[in-house]
Amino acid sequence: MIRLHSSMASVNGYKVRILLSILGLEYELVDIDMAGMEHKKEPFLSLNPFGQMPAMQDGDYQIADSHACLTYLARKYGGDDWLPSDAEGQAKVAEWMSKSANEVHQGPWMARAKVRRPDAITLSDEEIHARCDHILGLMDAHLKDRDWLALDRASIADISCFAPISFLPDSGYATDKWANVTAWLERVKSIPGAIDADGKAYG
Ligand SMILES: N[C@@H](CCC(=O)N[C@@H](CS)C(=O)NCC(=O)O)C(=O)O
């Protein structure tokens, strides 16, 4: 049985919930009380000493970090569909997973974090929006002649980048000035099994 340890409010946990849903995998969500700082205490710290969500167990195997969870699930349960096994394709997916962990995290993810925990995020809205402009501008140009970020089909790189960017309109940043990103967001939502942050199917 797969157990995902995460708060429903965790954007990184949402990435993993999207893939679990797309793959049609049954799992238990072990709800972590973020406000109660449960992720900074045992037993969560035994799953991830970094004290960050998500962490996941699949039988005796345990893994932390959203990208590690996505990689594990894609490889274990998705064949080559979401993470190809050829060097070129795998490297392209890794490239966009890195962008997600860096530029997307520092911009779109931060915008969401500031709305939820304004006391904890000291960056100004201007700085966060400039970071969003930077990465979304690059993504918009990249998506000009292509449907997906890494491959000629959807991959875990799209799922990873989608989750934080999908929250932007509710975080005070309008994504609609980026036409290609906007079309890509809709494309990800139309993947069979894709869910919103509340777990409801899109469409
Ligand atoms: N690189 C990690 C980042 C995880 C992360 O920042 N998780 C947030 C929730 S979305 C968290 O637990 N923040 C609490 C903290 O850093 O103290 C991943 O992709 O899983």
Side-chain angles (χ1 to χ4, degrees), residues 16-149:
V16 183
R17 290 192 290 119
I18 295 173
L19 185 62
L20 284 163
S21 174
I22 288 173
L23 292 174
L25 295 169
E26 275 188 39
Y27 69 100
E28 179 193 348
L29 179 71
V30 183
D31 190 36
I32 302 298
D33 176 11
M34 204 176 342
M37 302 300 274
E38 220 184 317
H39 53 304
K40 303 295 183 193
K41 302 172 191 160
E42 292 295 353
F44 188 86
L45 287 178
S46 291
L47 292 167
N48 185 7
F50 285 65
Q52 292 180 323
M53 297 167 280
M56 198 178 70
Q57 292 171 297
D58 187 7
D60 290 338
Y61 181 72
Q62 71 183 46
I63 187 81
D65 193 286
S66 62
H67 290 173
C69 295
L70 291 174
T71 300
Y72 170 80
L73 291 171
R75 177 57 61 231
K76 180 103 179 174
Y77 298 105
D80 267 8
D81 289 354
W82 299 91
L83 176 65
S85 51
D86 64 289
E88 293 80 4
Q90 212 168 90
K92 287 287 178 197
V93 172
E95 180 183 355
W96 280 96
M97 298 283 270
S98 292
K99 308 278 186 262
S100 181
N102 187 10
E103 286 85 351
V104 176
H105 190 87
Q106 297 305 330
W109 182 92
M110 203 62 82
R112 169 77 174 166
K114 183 153 188 195
V115 168
R116 289 191 50 82
R117 296 178 292 138
D119 47 316
I121 307 293
T122 53
L123 286 171
S124 68
D125 286 345
E126 288 71 26
E127 172 60 23
I128 293 174
H129 289 191
R131 293 178 179 192
C132 291
D133 281 345
H134 175 67
I135 181 59
L136 293 187
L138 287 164
M139 283 178 74
D140 203 67
H142 179 71
L143 288 164
K144 182 166 174 285
D145 298 314
R146 50 188 310 136
D147 287 344
W148 306 102
L149 291 173

Side-chain angles (χ1 to χ4, degrees), residues 121-203:
I121 307 293
T122 53
L123 286 171
S124 68
D125 286 345
E126 288 71 26
E127 172 60 23
I128 293 174
H129 289 191
R131 293 178 179 192
C132 291
D133 281 345
H134 175 67
I135 181 59
L136 293 187
L138 287 164
M139 283 178 74
D140 203 67
H142 179 71
L143 288 164
K144 182 166 174 285
D145 298 314
R146 50 188 310 136
D147 287 344
W148 306 102
L149 291 173
L151 307 174
D152 58 4
R153 62 180 192 278
S155 72
I156 53 174
D158 296 284
I159 294 171
S160 176
C161 291
F162 170 83
I165 294 172
S166 70
F167 284 107
L168 278 178
D170 291 335
S171 310
Y173 180 95
T175 44
D176 52 9
K177 66 178 166 180
W178 306 110
N180 302 320
V181 169
T182 301
W184 166 80
L185 285 169
E186 293 307 311
R187 232 172 266 131
V188 177
K189 289 179 188 173
S190 71
I191 296 172
I195 50 167
D196 68 17
D198 294 328
K200 289 199 284 285
Y202 281 115

